[in-house]
Amino acid sequence: MERVSTGIDELDQFISGGYPRGKSVLVTGTPGSGKTIIAIHFIYRGCLDGKKCIYIATEEELEDILHQAESIGRDIRQFYESGQLKIIKLYEERAYTTIQTMSLGFEKIDSLQSDIISLVEKIPRETDLVVIDNLGVFTLNMSMDEFRKQLDTLNLLLAKQHFTSLYIMDDTSNRRTEGVASYSAYGVIRLSIKENPYTNLRERHLEINKMRATSIPLESYAFNITSEGIRILQKKGVWSL
């Protein structure tokens, strides 16, 4: 199976060279655990490799995403300005539409957060890589069953177009929907913040819970977010930076 680089060398080694091409991978985790940073690595490397990328931002403004990327040494602004990377400002679109429709009641506003399938219409056919950050905003007004149906349909439509997709989803939304996104996605990466019992310091951790057709490690790996990007910490003498 052909692979697409995650943008993080150590993570690529963990999963046989990268994310499976044409499949969807879910990245879930607690606030501040590095979910958007994982997505930025993926998009940046894809752009460097000449791929056309789409970033659907449902929770952050454009400049916030660009600044985050710059802060970890992944300047995606150049690709955005050239058109190779398209950032769909769904967060801002939803906010402006909400203001305009408040006088009409909340029915129309709620519909803006309950139609996952329509995201496909925003993605040009020539796209290679897709990020949806954060998928969790669509779960607020959905039953678990409806969310699963829509996500399964989204997966199918994106796979038919051979898009390699990364879904970012916050832990709260994932629990609210009883983890059904993990069943729909081809792969699952979970990020968390844990306290090290030996140092009493809090650490970010990465676990690969699932990656079909891939031999994966079962360990939890600590990592840091630095000005040069994610650095997975040396473990058992295997990784050196």
Side-chain angles (χ1 to χ4, degrees):
M1 179 179 287
E2 188 177 344
R3 303 282 166 159
V4 177
S5 176
T6 66
I8 303 168
D9 291 342
E10 299 90 349
L11 183 54
D12 282 350
Q13 294 178 51
F14 290 155
I15 54 176
S16 302
Y19 302 130
R21 182 180 179 275
K23 304 298 183 181
S24 61
V25 173
L26 172 70
V27 177
T28 185
T30 53
S33 57
K35 301 184 296 298
T36 295
I37 301 299
I38 288 274
I40 288 171
H41 276 76
F42 175 56
I43 288 296
Y44 179 75
R45 176 59 183 269
C47 288
L48 286 180
D49 290 342
K51 294 179 170 61
K52 294 185 177 180
C53 305
I54 293 288
Y55 195 112
I56 300 177
T58 71
E59 282 193 319
E60 294 189 78
E61 295 185 65
L62 169 64
E63 281 300 319
D64 290 338
I65 294 170
L66 297 177
H67 286 321
Q68 281 192 71
E70 291 167 2
S71 73
I72 58 169
R74 303 293 187 272
D75 182 10
I76 60 174
R77 188 184 298 271
Q78 56 184 312
F79 303 114
Y80 172 71
E81 292 176 348
S82 72
Q84 184 182 349
L85 166 64
K86 296 184 183 302
I87 299 179
I88 298 174
K89 298 172 280 187
L90 201 60
Y91 171 70
E92 296 174 38
E93 179 184 324
R94 282 173 35 239
Y96 293 140
T97 303
T98 298
I99 293 170
Q100 293 170 359
T101 59
M102 282 185 68
S103 61
L104 302 177
F106 292 96
E107 183 177 348
K108 185 174 181 181
I109 296 172
D110 288 347
S111 71
L112 298 173
Q113 298 183 165
S114 58
D115 187 0
I116 298 174
I117 299 171
S118 66
L119 294 178
V120 177
E121 300 170 2
K122 300 180 180 294
I123 304 172
R125 293 182 64 87
E126 66 272 13
T127 300
D128 297 301
L129 310 184
V130 176
V131 166
I132 302 174
D133 180 11
N134 178 335
L135 191 63
V137 301
F138 295 96
T139 69
L140 295 173
N141 303 308
M142 279 193 206
S143 67
M144 182 179 67
D145 181 59
E146 179 62 23
F147 175 64
R148 175 67 186 268
K149 288 178 182 177
Q150 288 208 33
L151 186 56
D152 284 348
T153 303
L154 178 68
N155 280 334
L156 178 62
L157 294 174
L158 295 182
K160 289 288 186 182
Q161 298 295 327
H162 306 292
F163 300 149
T164 305
S165 307
L166 207 62
Y167 303 150
I168 308 302
M169 189 172 185
D170 62 281
D171 222 20
T172 300
S173 299
N174 197 34
R175 289 196 305 271
R176 182 189 302 120
T177 52
E178 299 187 27
V180 297
S182 298
Y183 296 98
S184 296
Y186 200 83
V188 179
I189 293 175
R190 174 167 170 72
L191 307 180
S192 59
I193 299 177
K194 303 178 180 179
E195 183 173 302
N196 186 318
Y198 300 104
T199 64
N200 293 322
L201 298 176
R202 289 164 63 78
E203 300 174 341
R204 290 184 173 91
H205 279 255
L206 178 151
E207 300 171 66
I208 304 161
N209 292 159
K210 168 185 171 183
M211 198 67 64
R212 291 175 184 153
T214 307
S215 177
I216 59 175
L218 299 179
E219 294 91 344
S220 170
Y221 291 90
F223 69 93
N224 288 333
I225 298 174
T226 75
S227 60
E228 297 180 347
I230 285 178
R231 292 292 179 264
I232 295 179
L233 303 182
Q234 183 173 338
K235 186 168 185 175
K236 298 181 181 178
V238 177
W239 304 109
S240 59
L241 302 176

